[in-house]
Amino acid sequence: MELLFAWLIFGALIGSLGTYLLYEQMGRDPEQGALIGAGVGAAGTLVLLVPLWVYIYREGRQPGYTPKDRQPLESRHYARIALYTILILMTMVYLLPIYTVVSTSLKSPQDAGKLSAVWDLPSSLHWESYKTAIDELGPKIRNSFMLTISATVLSAIMGSLNGYVLAKWKFPGANIVFPLMLFGMFIPYQSILIPLFQFVQDIELGGTIYGLIMAHVVYGLPITTLIFRNYYTEVPTEMIEAGSIDGAGFFGIYRWIVFPLSLPGFVVVIIWQFTQIWNEFLFAVTLTNENSQPITVALALLAGGEAVKWNLPMAGAVLAALPTLVVYIVLGRFFIRGLLAGSVKG
Amino acid sequence: MQLSVERLRRANPDRVFAVLTILPSIILLGIFVYGFIGQTFAWSLTDWSGLEAHADKNYIGLDNYKALFSDFQGFRFRQELVNTFFFTLFFLVGCLVLGFLLAVLLDQNVKGEGFFRTVFLFPMALSFAVTGTIWRWLLNPKGGINVLPELFGGDAWSYSWLNNRKAYEFNWHEVPVTTLLLIIFLLLFAVFQFVWRKKYLASVYMGVPTALLFMWMWSDWATWDTDPTMRGKFNWQNAPQYVVAVIVIGFLLYMVNLLGQGKRRAAWITAIPTAIIFGWYLTGGPDRFPNVPFPEQFGFNLALVGIIIASIWQLSGYTMAMYLAGIRGVPEELREAARVDGCNEWQVYTLIILPMLRPITLSAAIVLGHISLKVFDLIFAIAGTDYLPVSVPGVQVYVTMFRSNKFAVGSAIAVVLLVMVASVIIPYLATSLRAEHEV
Amino acid sequence: MSKRFVSFMIVLTMALLAVVPTFAQDAPSGELEIFSWWAGDEGPALEALIVKYNEMYPDVTVNNATVTGGSGVNARAVLKTRMLGGDPPDSFQVHAGQELIGTWVIADRMEDLTFLFEEEGWMDKFPQGLIDLLSYEGGIWSVPVNIHRSNVMWYVPANLEAWGVSVPASWAEFLEICPTLQANDVTPLVVGENWTVNHLWESVALAELGVDGWNGLWAGEKSWLDDDVVAMWDTFGQILDCSNIDVDAATLSWQQATDAVIAGDAAFNVMGDWAAGYMFTTLGLEPGVGFGWAPSPGTGGVFMMLSDSFGLPKDIKNHDAAVAWLKLLGSQEGQDIFNPLKGSIAGRLDSDLSLYNAYLQSAAADWQMDAVVGSLAHGAVAPESFSSEFATVMEIYLGSRNGMSASNAAQAIANQAGIGG
């Protein structure tokens, strides 16, 4: 249920923002537009996303990850009240920073700079910082999507194939190669930054999004390989054997038996890689230029420009965080499973 | 299992395909990880500085490393190592404890669990750069958290979150020292427990911070007693002694374990390097080690508290999720049995479930530990590049390379960082993968 | 050198000179990438210049690449990785002086611009001291666009009157009025994040060591271990005790520190004169009424300068467009478009002062009369390997409040950077 609310609010926000800008362009009263847009956005969300939500909710409800049907032992009332009080307090603590971000982003530039008024609600809603942020960050968001989607897909496919080989086609030396590959996900990236940069320049990809995609694909391989290997280890070997008896070869087994089973594995990998790549800064700032930089870099530019007008960077932060937030909210259940799958088994 | 593998092995062209499939990844990672690390290491042995297109890179051996640990220029680096130690310590403990508590709360058949879980987890979805920007603002002494009480009619706090050059005021004659002793005692107890259970890796991991804290107290308390400004700090000049003591204690613990496992020969072999190092120590070896020119006092900087809070806020959801999934994996019958045996609900969690979750605790600790050792964006976004009380080596690599143009020195710091991370990761990878093969 | 060679050179030079005019008449086209860390409040001045450039050369598409954050450190990181990777921007912002020479010129990354200075007749349009700062081994390596003054102290005249204090002429005077201000619950001197403390330090050091002492430090003629240098640290410490260094300094940007003065929470602030631009343009305050200024205590008659300049990297994609850009930057018109908006004065001596506000007019007068020294915190006097690590020296001092160890640290770094004497 709470998921639905989150979506509705999200839909309403997007709707009202969009209509606000649209109305402003059309020369009509934008505040009125924002209200209408909120309603339309919420309704649209309901129609479009509820079926999807129902589907995902049911898919995500995996045994072992939802509470068992058991009676709470502390069923006395005051204990329950205390429990919820603590949880709600903790929720507020966790949400406080987000509250400041969102409220600051809606303040006027003058109010946004007042340190002592951080917690006050905006006196009136100022959507223009979002408008400016979209104007400035729009192309960067496109870069980010292009980067994140292609790097995620590529590293997921390669990781899936690697995981398949490591789980089902152990070759001599695999026990040495696998930990050596895994180590790559723990290294501090400062220790490879300059060689990586020179390499990317040498192959003439410097300053483009493609060099960055390549870096993220390669440094994403350890984690994707690990997740798929752990996932495929659980696939019964008998199924592989059956395929091999039916005459399927290495690729045939992958195509017809392993791949169709891989959907949950892909979801986990996609969530993980999507958030990692979307948020990454160090590679992005060194490997791209003005035209190809993703949003994290552009946001640092917006926030770091000795700015006093905090509303703008905060609006940018909201925009930069939205895609990953959506991924978390919609696919959160899978994510928890992914965390377990992503840890080396001990 | 064995049989099927045999069968697959016979299918020869497919095995070739398998190797060919994974080969590109192996080659790519070989170049991008090991090749590049090798390149960085090679540079760290040179005097490369400056931006010439074909800069002179003269081989100077380990001089850069020696300078970091003993010369004047390494002051910043040494302070950062101390910061990293305390940051990692409190960040790990905070995330694990808070994560476990939240998981236990959410396990009480809570209505709206999904909502709470998402709330606790979502900070993880933000980039460090974004959280850094937010927290820099919240930790401003004249705004943010400090004016929060005003909302409820109280007076604003005046705590200097980030702007604090005080180290933890440590008064030998008062309570804190008892606390430190207590912590050391508890850690020692944990070490012996692990030794008893033949968990040598865990005991070594517990033993090292114990030894460090103990050496801290032991070697510096004389100064603290006479000079109040030095309380809570330690003198870097004693660092070689710390290191030797930690190594000796690590070896000794390892020996005890080998003896406990009945591997007497291995234990005797371990005794030899231990004795050599200890002998070197007794004959004043650490004093001959290159050391800093004059006393340098480092301690736990209070400015780190704000950074630690921000990082716990961001990553406690991760441990919460890990623990929650783990708790859900504990069979209900087991809990029932414990309750029948007279455990209350809290005891069920701490005595029955928590020990079962040890693999999860370990892997969460490793993941968080390597994040905190190499942390960069968060500190950079909150405190900038030059605020030493909270700076870390990751930031200095950036500054040394790109502002001072000292690429060789920057490479050396990056290599030290890599060694620190590797010393945590490699034993973990080795033991957990070995355990997997034994299953 | 043989006579034949000399005559050959003369012929060659003349041939080149003959070629240059036709060369200049070809309007440049293509793309021009300008790299700087000017965004936000500092952006409009550069944008105005770009607009002018586009009017003059409509065929050129200008790509204004800015990388901000970390007070220029991000920009420099990106710039350096690009240069190392052989992908230089067509022209980039760099502080005149050692930041230019010590990093870029000795690395053989820049083209000599002497030809441009001679061709455009700039040699007597810029003061000799400034040209010296841009020169190294017989070449001139960048075009200065502006001059900022580092040693300025800002205050609100009405507030000082209310608190019953006057502007101190020396740091000793400042320390005398410090208790009065503190009794009024006012921070006597406000500082911000790390680099602003370095910025304050250079004003204090200049006052305590004098012009010769200051210049001696960078020429390697004066040791950091001299008594007056060590004693200067103690004065600096006393000044810091009158500041907010242990309260909220680390979390304030320079604008927020300036805001504290305007709001009456603090009495004084030592900051470069970009603060005047901020107070005049962004806050809309009248110079002399809304805010007042004086040379920082003990530095009357001395102008500690820094200058932003643009250079011409080697191996760039669009040489013609970049040279045209530099010509605009150095021209009287270009400088008078840029500087009133940026809140700085022109490097040229012939700028039209009526375009500038009251503060800038007084700064321009000082610029012509005062003794000129270079800034440490802003890249004029010491190479980056020193100025970058001076941040650590400052941290050592702030952590220990021990002038001797700070001086030792500074000397060690100076020796390493080759300016230790």
Side-chain angles (χ1 to χ4, degrees), chain B residues 113-438:
Chain B
E113 184 198 316
F115 168 75
F116 288 118
R117 214 173 41 197
T118 309
V119 166
F120 298 145
L121 199 57
F122 88 95
M124 243 190 110
L126 305 176
S127 71
F128 268 133
V130 173
T131 36
T133 313
I134 301 173
W135 279 94
R136 177 192 173 96
W137 211 39
L138 286 181
L139 294 173
N140 192 302
K142 287 186 178 159
I145 292 177
N146 277 357
V147 294
L148 198 53
E150 288 183 344
L151 279 188
F152 307 103
D155 288 333
W157 292 325
S158 60
Y159 185 72
S160 305
W161 287 103
L162 292 171
N163 197 90
N164 211 321
R165 283 173 194 282
K166 290 194 195 89
Y168 174 48
E169 292 278 339
F170 199 91
N171 192 336
W172 182 251
H173 301 287
E174 286 164 21
V175 195
V177 77
T178 338
T179 324
L180 183 61
L181 273 173
L182 198 71
I183 293 171
I184 292 174
F185 178 76
L186 282 176
L187 282 170
L188 265 181
F189 180 72
V191 171
F192 285 125
Q193 272 245 315
F194 283 126
V195 169
W196 192 252
R197 295 208 203 118
K198 296 175 182 159
K199 302 264 182 201
Y200 71 86
L201 192 72
S203 75
V204 172
Y205 275 134
M206 296 297 273
V208 167
T210 318
L212 270 176
L213 287 174
F214 185 71
M215 288 303 293
W216 179 29
M217 198 183 82
W218 179 255
S219 56
D220 289 305
W221 78 278
T223 2
W224 301 350
D225 214 24
T226 51
D227 184 355
T229 59
M230 290 305 149
R231 279 178 192 148
K233 299 181 175 179
F234 82 93
N235 186 350
W236 185 274
Q237 287 179 322
N238 295 330
Q241 305 203 12
Y242 289 22
V243 173
V244 173
V246 167
I247 292 172
V248 169
I249 287 169
F251 268 111
L252 281 176
L253 285 170
Y254 189 65
M255 246 173 73
V256 170
N257 280 287
L258 290 171
L259 280 176
Q261 289 169 348
K263 295 177 182 166
R264 303 185 70 163
R265 248 190 73 195
W268 281 115
I269 294 171
T270 323
I272 296 169
T274 319
I276 292 173
I277 296 171
F278 197 59
W280 183 71
Y281 174 73
L282 285 182
T283 54
D287 300 335
R288 290 193 299 274
F289 206 72
N291 209 330
V292 294
F294 51 83
E296 286 177 8
Q297 307 288 344
F298 299 123
F300 171 60
N301 292 310
L302 287 178
L304 268 177
V305 173
I307 308 266
I308 290 167
I309 291 177
S311 56
I312 291 178
W313 173 80
Q314 181 154 25
L315 282 163
S316 53
Y318 168 74
T319 43
M320 182 274 300
M322 296 277 280
Y323 276 129
L324 192 61
I327 290 173
R328 293 284 154 76
V330 174
E332 185 61 28
E333 299 77 47
L334 208 73
R335 303 180 181 212
E336 208 47 59
R339 288 185 196 116
V340 171
D341 288 347
C343 284
N344 65 29
E345 197 64 4
W346 178 244
Q347 283 171 326
V348 171
Y349 282 108
T350 51
L351 298 181
I352 309 294
I353 295 181
L354 193 56
M356 290 186 70
L357 299 183
R358 205 173 295 140
I360 290 183
T361 309
L362 183 63
S363 76
I366 295 289
V367 169
L368 294 177
H370 99 273
I371 291 176
S372 79
L373 286 177
K374 66 187 192 189
V375 63
F376 163 70
D377 337 22
L378 181 72
I379 310 273
F380 186 73
I382 294 188
T385 47
D386 293 307
Y387 191 51
L388 210 48
V390 299
S391 192
V392 289
V395 174
Q396 205 201 341
V397 174
Y398 192 72
V399 172
T400 311
M401 284 188 171
F402 296 127
R403 206 177 57 188
S404 310
N405 308 330
K406 294 179 176 170
F407 293 97
V409 180
S411 298
I413 301 169
V415 169
V416 174
L417 210 58
L418 182 76
V419 169
M420 274 159 48
V421 172
S423 68
V424 176
I425 294 299
I426 289 177
Y428 168 70
L429 281 182
T431 49
S432 56
L433 288 174
R434 195 188 304 144
E436 200 180 60
H437 291 312
E438 281 165 6

Side-chain angles (χ1 to χ4, degrees), chain A residues 325-344:
Chain A
L325 273 185
V326 168
V327 167
Y328 262 68
I329 292 172
V330 178
L331 300 173
R333 288 158 211 281
F334 291 97
F335 181 73
I336 291 181
R337 209 142 48 103
L339 288 179
L340 286 177
S343 58
V344 187

